[in-house]
Amino acid sequence: MVSAARGLFAKNGYAGTGTPEIVSAAGVTRGALYHHFADKTALFATVVEEEHMLLAMTINAAAEGDDEPGPVKALIAGGDAFLDAMQDEGRRRILLVDAPAVLGRAKVDDIDGRHGLRTLLEGVTAAMDAKAIRDLPAAPLAHLLNALFDRAALAPPDEVNDYRKAIKALIRGLKI
């Protein structure tokens, strides 16, 4: 059911997706939908949580992909993986457009804090502990980098590489 809902939310947006479409796509009854989820918003929150979890797994895999690439390279690789994954228009719509509007900023921040932001904070902390970047307040730095990545993900596809270059320069500028 979550997978079917994800596909519809990605294609039509939250507002453009009704529960009758979801149950039809999932091959379940409306009763089954409401047995598992209080309402469409609760189902959407589950989709958002799952998208954040999958995205964090992608970022972690990229950051750990090289043989000990170094903490700065890991931050850059993780950021590139994020931007690559966010080129999926449906994922952008779900995570960056609809989620804040439907669930509210606090709920989205809570979900992100368990996944992508947590991963970014771990990367920033590791880079500071390794003395690879300046010792700054880790949480604010992670939040600011997170906002940079989100803004870059919303850029038109032909501008994303310019954002990548700027973000890489900013991260490299943190080096000691």
Side-chain angles (χ1 to χ4, degrees), residues 22-172:
I22 295 170
V23 297
S24 176
V28 298
T29 65
R30 241 182 133 126
L33 170 71
Y34 291 115
H35 174 74
H36 295 286
F37 302 98
D39 54 22
K40 183 174 93 168
T41 303
L43 174 58
F44 182 71
T46 299
V47 168
V48 170
E49 182 92 33
E50 188 173 280
E51 284 294 308
H52 272 281
M53 181 185 66
L54 293 171
L55 193 54
M57 290 169 55
T58 299
I59 293 165
N60 281 335
E64 296 168 358
D66 290 342
D67 294 330
E68 295 299 316
V72 173
K73 287 183 182 177
L75 283 170
I76 291 170
D80 280 341
F82 172 81
L83 291 175
D84 289 344
M86 293 303 286
Q87 292 313 294
D88 178 298
E89 186 178 331
R91 178 173 277 152
R92 265 195 321 273
R93 174 183 286 143
I94 290 168
L95 294 181
L96 300 178
V97 177
D98 285 349
V102 173
L103 302 176
R105 184 82 256 156
K107 175 76 172 172
V108 172
D109 286 348
D110 182 51
I111 292 170
D112 189 29
R114 289 192 294 274
H115 302 291
L117 180 61
R118 179 189 52 78
T119 299
L120 188 53
L121 181 57
E122 288 169 359
V124 164
T125 302
M128 282 188 229
D129 290 346
K131 306 289 186 228
I133 65 172
R134 294 179 190 153
D135 188 18
L136 298 166
L141 179 57
H143 280 277
L144 288 169
L145 289 172
N146 196 41
L148 287 171
F149 286 121
D150 283 354
R151 178 60 189 95
L154 287 168
D158 63 328
E159 295 178 17
V160 172
N161 282 334
D162 290 339
Y163 279 86
R164 283 181 201 267
K165 289 176 188 173
I167 291 171
K168 286 177 185 179
L170 288 169
I171 291 172
R172 286 182 181 127

